Amino acid sequence: MNKLKLIILFLFMSLAASAQRLAVESLKLRPNDLSARNVKNQRHDLNGKPCALLKVMVLDNITKCSSGNIGDIVTEGPVKLKFITSATPSLELSFQYHYPLTINFADYGYKHLEGNSTYELNLVDELQMMLGNGNLTPNTQSNNVSQNSITAVTPANKIEESANKVEQSTSKVEESDSQSNNA
């Protein structure tokens, strides 16, 4: 009985510890987002080179950013805007309610972030990622969202297609009636 209590206690402690960790869901270049090139917002490093804009999507507050950051963190709700020098290979973020997280850009296919470019970094609770769909991967969640969006639109498209078929059949009947009246 004591063994069972000890196992349950250990499980709860491990869940509580993992709930304080963040995991990277995705890091993507957003080529159509020109926020980094906006003259009003644009930042340059000490050599005059333009910085990359990193949009960090996280619910927690970022308290400290080390390694190549230029200026302060701009908070817009769950989106935190951070300008990063183009030579920075990694970034360490500290949070108010979670453990610090180090992001190596090479792990996500980027040797470093390009200046004048906008990147989107999505962070989620590690526990949320594990419990999401069993073996949830970053791309799976994005695809599920887009499939759900398509599914939600599909019934309206079917109704519209049905209405078009009714209109076509009605016009065919009207044409055949007008041809028989002319004969």
Side-chain angles (χ1 to χ4, degrees):
M1 189 66 172
N2 287 337
K3 231 181 199 180
L4 180 62
K5 288 180 184 178
L6 186 61
I7 291 171
I8 292 172
L9 179 65
F10 177 73
L11 285 174
F12 280 119
M13 289 176 61
S14 64
L15 287 175
S18 66
Q20 296 175 354
R21 296 187 189 279
L22 290 173
V24 176
E25 183 181 33
S26 65
L27 174 64
K28 297 177 185 173
L29 172 65
R30 297 292 180 201
N32 294 333
D33 188 344
L34 302 176
S35 303
R37 297 179 185 180
N38 185 347
V39 176
K40 182 178 83 173
N41 295 334
Q42 193 175 40
R43 305 244 174 103
H44 294 83
D45 65 10
L46 296 175
N47 296 324
K49 293 182 181 178
C51 294
L53 174 60
L54 184 64
K55 290 185 173 182
V56 182
M57 311 294 187
V58 65
L59 294 176
D60 198 356
N61 293 325
I62 299 174
T63 57
K64 182 181 172 191
C65 178
S66 57
S67 308
N69 59 315
I70 302 292
D72 294 331
I73 300 167
V74 178
T75 302
E76 297 176 350
V79 179
K80 282 51 172 186
L81 305 177
K82 192 72 202 135
F83 285 89
I84 309 294
T85 61
S86 59
T88 304
S90 66
L91 184 68
E92 185 175 336
L93 299 172
S94 298
F95 302 93
Q96 186 173 359
Y97 298 110
H98 291 87
Y99 291 123
L101 177 67
T102 301
I103 298 122
N104 292 317
F105 301 131
D107 294 344
Y108 303 96
Y110 304 102
K111 186 176 179 181
H112 52 82
L113 304 184
E114 295 293 326
N116 272 342
S117 298
T118 303
Y119 294 83
E120 185 176 286
L121 175 67
N122 289 311
L123 302 177
V124 294
D125 284 328
E126 201 172 70
L127 181 63
Q128 179 185 9
M129 193 171 217
M130 287 188 298
L131 297 177
N133 287 335
N135 57 354
L136 182 66
T137 59
N139 294 335
T140 305
Q141 187 175 19
S142 299
N143 290 340
N144 287 344
V145 170
S146 64
Q147 287 173 357
N148 289 342
S149 300
I150 291 169
T151 304
V153 174
T154 303
N157 289 343
K158 287 184 179 181
I159 292 170
E160 189 174 316
E161 288 173 12
S162 299
N164 288 339
K165 288 179 183 177
V166 169
E167 287 177 18
Q168 289 172 355
S169 62
T170 305
S171 64
K172 287 180 183 178
V173 170
E174 289 173 355
E175 287 176 18
S176 63
D177 284 344
S178 66
Q179 289 175 355
S180 60
N181 287 342
N182 289 338

